């Protein structure tokens, strides 16, 4: 998987399939359905071209509506959603596709299994249903989320298509080195969720020192750290000024020593429930 030469908001990473994913994404977890359409419209106007939704977020339809109402062609926007259920899998996959892109030939760019929590048998069923979605042209790429090394190893025994990405919690306080090394070795792109640590580290002295040194906000420093680590960060905001500021992360670079200071903060500290150790 290679990063593009473009160093701006449109920079991409090439997935195993050859498809490109914009490296800076935009998350809509906890974005209430009644505000998501507006938020996504603002994000698109601000330059984001990659939106991360899920069945569990109850706003897939609003993401789709924002893209349809925008001036941007469907093909120019990368949309991810996630399967959150272990029953009625094929129907729920189809439902999500038609919420995100209701055209007869509608598709999602990336469909993930949200969590390994359904257990080994159901995970296999979920993956095979996703492979069938790819075969039918309704998903361009498929992947997983919250998978640990054990889950990834297990699925390598039955997957015909390797997961394009693993979306996990990643920020300086939660760097998950074993999963990151495994994914890098097998060309599985790493998407960083909760890249802003949900705002809980806004007063961290190391972060504030680097923000001061770079003249950037703590949030911009965290997104920049993620980009420089080669991850695909998915910052979320429903606030216009923050949406715009979180995109302005391509006009500065963290030095090696600033990266090192942030890398040294790892404490395996999660802000979301950690599913990577589930059976
Ligand atoms: N696969 C999974 O299991 C999973 C789990 C969690 C998250 N995710 C994905 O990752 C995305 C991001 O993670 P997240 O939503 O947990 O948290 P996050 O992006 O780390 O943080 C979002 C929080 O930070 C605030 N914020 C955003 N920009 C800010 C700024 N510039 N200054 C100050 N505060 C700022 C937001 O507030 P406002 O909205 O009020 O501006 C919101 O409360 C999700 O939306 C979702 O797409 C996936």
């Amino acid at each position: 998987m290679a990063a593009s030469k473009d160093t701006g908001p449109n920079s991409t990473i090439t997935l195993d399939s050859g498809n490109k994913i914009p490296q800076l994404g935009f998350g809509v977890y906890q974005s209430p359905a009644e505000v998501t359409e507006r938020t996504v419209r603002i994000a698109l106007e601000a330059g984001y071209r990659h939106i991360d939704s899920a069945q569990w977020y109850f706003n897939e339809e609003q993401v789709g509506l924002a893209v349809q109402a925008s001036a941007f062609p469907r093909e120019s926007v990368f949309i991810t959603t996630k399967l959150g259920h272990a029953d009625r899998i094929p129907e729920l996959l189809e439902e999500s596709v038609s919420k995100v892109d209701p055209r007869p030939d509608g598709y999602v760019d990336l469909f993930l299994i949200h969590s390994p929590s359904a257990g080994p048998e159901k995970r296999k069923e979920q993956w095979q249903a996703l492979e069938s979605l790819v075969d039918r042209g309704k998903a361009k790429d498929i992947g997983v989320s919250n998978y640990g090394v054990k889950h990834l190893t297990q699925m390598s025994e039955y997957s015909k298509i390797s997961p394009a990405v693993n979306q996990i919690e990643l920020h300086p306080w939660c760097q998950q080195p074993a999963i990151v090394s495994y994914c890098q070795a097998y060309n599985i792109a790493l998407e960083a969720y909760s890249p802003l640590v949900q705002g809980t580290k806004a007063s961290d002295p190391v972060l504030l020192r680097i923000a001061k040194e770079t003249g950037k906000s703590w949030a911009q420093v965290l997104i920049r750290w993620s980009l420089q680590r080669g991850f695909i960060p998915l910052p979320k905001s429903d606030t216009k000024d923050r949406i715009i500021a979180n995109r302005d992360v391509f006009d500065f670079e963290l030095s090696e020593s600033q990266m090192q200071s942030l890398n040294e903060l790892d404490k395996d500290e999660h802000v979301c429930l950690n599913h990577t150790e589930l059976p």
Side-chain angles (χ1 to χ4, degrees):
M1 151 208 350
S4 73
K5 287 207 176 68
D6 185 346
T7 50
N10 296 321
S11 67
T12 56
I13 282 183
T14 304
L15 300 172
D16 222 18
S17 59
N19 296 327
K20 291 183 190 322
I21 181 170
Q23 193 180 0
L24 177 65
F26 183 78
V28 295
Y29 172 44
Q30 290 179 326
S31 176
E34 62 277 14
V35 305
T36 306
E37 189 179 341
R38 173 184 171 271
T39 288
V40 173
R41 205 173 54 236
I42 293 169
L44 293 172
E45 280 159 12
Y48 296 83
R49 291 292 178 272
H50 169 183
I51 314 294
D52 184 81
S53 184
Q55 293 173 346
W56 282 342
Y57 304 168
F58 302 104
N59 54 22
E60 293 167 296
E61 195 177 345
Q62 287 69 27
V63 170
L65 288 170
V67 174
Q68 290 154 49
S70 78
F72 308 104
R74 168 70 187 90
E75 293 66 32
S76 68
V77 186
F78 190 102
I79 308 179
T80 300
T81 192
K82 311 184 194 83
L83 171 66
H85 304 272
D87 295 309
R88 295 178 54 236
I89 298 168
E91 296 96 298
L92 290 173
L93 293 179
E94 295 285 342
E95 250 178 50
S96 283
V97 174
S98 39
K99 281 181 183 164
V100 164
D101 185 352
R103 298 173 308 166
D105 55 352
Y107 66 92
V108 300
D109 294 274
L110 179 61
F111 218 126
L112 307 181
I113 298 177
H114 205 137
S115 158
S117 59
E121 283 314 308
K122 282 288 181 182
R123 285 201 290 275
K124 182 174 176 182
E125 206 180 311
Q126 290 172 319
W127 189 252
Q128 290 173 339
L130 283 176
E131 288 181 328
S132 149
L133 208 63
V134 174
D135 291 342
R136 285 178 290 123
K138 302 215 163 200
K140 303 261 186 214
D141 275 287
I142 53 177
V144 294
S145 178
N146 294 297
Y147 270 41
V149 171
K150 181 181 55 194
H151 309 123
L152 292 165
T153 314
Q154 266 172 14
M155 74 184 292
S156 67
E157 288 162 19
Y158 55 78
S159 54
K160 292 195 199 119
I161 302 175
S162 303
V165 315
N166 188 14
Q167 183 181 124
I168 55 175
E169 182 170 343
L170 283 172
H171 47 71
W173 295 269
C174 179
Q175 296 181 38
Q176 314 222 49
I179 304 176
V180 167
S181 301
Y182 182 97
C183 290
Q184 287 170 341
Y186 288 93
N187 229 16
I188 301 170
L190 284 150
E191 295 193 324
Y193 77 61
S194 306
L196 305 176
V197 209
Q198 298 183 343
T200 58
K201 297 291 182 184
S203 320
D204 181 88
V206 174
L207 186 55
L208 290 183
R209 191 234 322 142
I210 296 173
K212 194 165 174 207
E213 286 167 5
T214 53
K216 288 287 187 172
S217 72
W218 62 264
Q220 290 167 322
V221 169
L222 287 179
I223 298 168
R224 189 69 217 173
W225 173 86
S226 200
L227 293 170
Q228 287 185 218
R229 285 288 304 263
F231 304 149
I232 299 166
L234 307 167
K236 176 265 174 186
S237 177
D238 280 325
T239 313
K240 186 171 183 183
D241 293 352
R242 291 173 173 177
I243 295 171
I244 293 169
N246 293 348
R247 176 220 53 195
D248 287 337
V249 288
F250 294 92
D251 56 353
F252 77 114
E253 206 165 327
L254 297 172
S255 68
E256 245 173 70
S257 82
Q258 289 166 336
M259 284 299 286
Q260 183 60 25
S261 300
L262 292 165
N263 288 339
E264 283 166 7
L265 296 172
D266 194 12
K267 293 189 181 70
D268 194 27
E269 199 179 317
H270 294 251
V271 285
C272 291
L273 215 56
N274 180 12
H275 295 220
T276 61
E277 304 291 338
L278 290 175

